[in-house]
Amino acid sequence: AGVVSRASDPQAKADGIAALAALASDEALARLLAIVDRDPAALRDGVSCAALSKAIASFGERATPGLLQRFEAAGPATRASAAAPSADDAFERYLAPGFAAIDTEIGSRPDPAGARLRLQAAEAQLKLALRDLAGPEIPAGGGGSLPSFVLHTLLEMNLPRDPRALALARAVAADPACSLPLRADGVRLVAKLGGPDDLDALFGLLDGRSPRLEPYVARAIAELQTRLADS
């Protein structure tokens, strides 16, 4: 974990994280969680953060207790200021490495300047599309926070109806002291893990007290109803 944290290049750090995840051992999971604890920069950098979230999510239920402990350790003040990634952050996390690889490949082709212009145009169009898909704008500030990382990682997991993760999701979704981005992720996690009883709780959030949260609640209700109907 120390070697990975000391890596200055984000892609090198991401590769080290992926190598730890491939071991699939309890020791590897402990090392990945140690990176969360000791390397705040890894949560702020899009490439490293995405790799770390994906790596920990690959351990499934084994990772849930450690994630929940870290969420609680973050404290109410951090949960109140946690912000979700912007559309530009999402591009940096998931798509920028691929564009960088294409740019490198273009350098060996005829007319690299023209090809790079087309690539830059495609990148700009994709960023605009991501902003359009992002939905209602949510406030910025405190990006890369530990609570946001925990919920994002739980959302990445292929979990059954894990009662521990579901309890956290319910609590965050209903807590007006949590930031809007965090509550939106809580609502999404309820939709992913919840059961019929959670529909009443979600409908209860459509009470006009948190109008900026309501679009996320409405989407979660539709997703949960669809999932329950298909099960």
Side-chain angles (χ1 to χ4, degrees), residues 34-81:
I35 295 172
V36 175
D37 295 336
R38 302 171 188 170
D39 188 6
L43 300 188
R44 293 192 297 268
D45 173 73
V47 173
S48 301
C49 185
L52 189 56
S53 181
K54 180 179 178 180
I56 294 174
S58 70
F59 287 83
E61 289 182 279
R62 282 193 287 166
T64 301
L67 289 171
L68 299 185
Q69 289 170 9
R70 283 157 179 81
F71 186 94
E72 290 301 321
T78 306
R79 296 196 287 272
S81 62

Side-chain angles (χ1 to χ4, degrees), residues 33 38 56 64 71 91 105 107 109 114-115 119 130 136-137 163 174 179 184 200 221 230:
L33 291 171
R38 302 171 188 170
I56 294 174
T64 301
F71 186 94
F91 179 89
E105 184 177 329
R109 296 182 178 182
L119 182 66
L130 285 171
E137 187 177 349
S179 70
D200 287 341
I221 289 170
D230 292 341

Side-chain angles (χ1 to χ4, degrees), residues 3 49 88 92-93 102 121 128 153 173 231:
V3 173
C49 185
D88 287 343
E92 292 300 322
R93 286 188 181 192
I102 295 171
L128 286 173
T153 304
S231 61

